Amino acid sequence: MSKLHHVAIATTEFERDKKIFEQLGMTVERENGQIPTRQLWFYEGIQLKEVEDIQLGTNIDHVAIWTNNIEETIKIALLNGCKMDTCGNNWFILPNGTRVELME
């Protein structure tokens, strides 16, 4: 079984975007880092990652998926044209370039 864990959004406007999500009723779970690489996680499944530059179409940093078996999920991904990501053994890259983090 797999389900969405969180979506990480890259932003050059960290404070503005944090305020937007807070005004939408989301609650910060944790925040770390220093300018220009701050990160925060909302309980509701959104992660903000501060970056210095975004090119059009690259604001989704990664999608994280809960799974009950990381190794089996990786095998399935590789059999379907995905590649391993250098972030770790629980990361892969879809054929379209989207990075996927697996959580157990």
Side-chain angles (χ1 to χ4, degrees):
M1 181 187 93
S2 299
K3 63 182 181 176
L4 183 67
H5 182 271
H6 69 270
V7 174
I9 300 170
T11 179
T12 58
E13 298 292 335
F14 188 84
E15 291 298 330
R16 179 202 66 197
D17 292 348
K18 176 182 176 182
K19 182 178 178 181
I20 289 169
F21 286 109
E22 287 176 324
Q23 289 182 355
L24 291 171
M26 295 187 182
T27 304
V28 174
E29 178 182 355
R30 70 183 192 274
E31 188 170 344
N32 66 32
Q34 303 294 322
I35 296 172
T37 59
R38 295 175 287 179
Q39 297 186 70
L40 71 78
W41 293 261
F42 290 98
Y43 281 105
E44 295 79 10
I46 298 292
Q47 175 186 356
L48 291 181
K49 292 185 72 169
E50 185 176 38
V51 296
E52 294 186 47
D53 185 39
I54 295 177
Q55 295 184 12
L56 184 62
T58 62
N59 60 328
I60 299 297
D61 182 79
H62 68 275
V63 174
I65 297 173
W66 276 109
T67 180
N68 57 2
N69 189 325
I70 288 176
E71 288 181 21
E72 185 63 26
T73 304
I74 291 288
K75 286 179 188 175
I76 292 168
L78 295 176
L79 287 172
N80 284 281
C82 299
K83 297 179 182 175
M84 292 299 295
D85 193 350
T86 58
C87 289
N89 292 335
N90 63 318
W91 289 77
F92 66 90
I93 303 171
L94 294 170
N96 73 357
T98 303
R99 296 169 55 230
V100 177
E101 177 184 16
L102 299 174
M103 312 292 288
E104 203 167 45

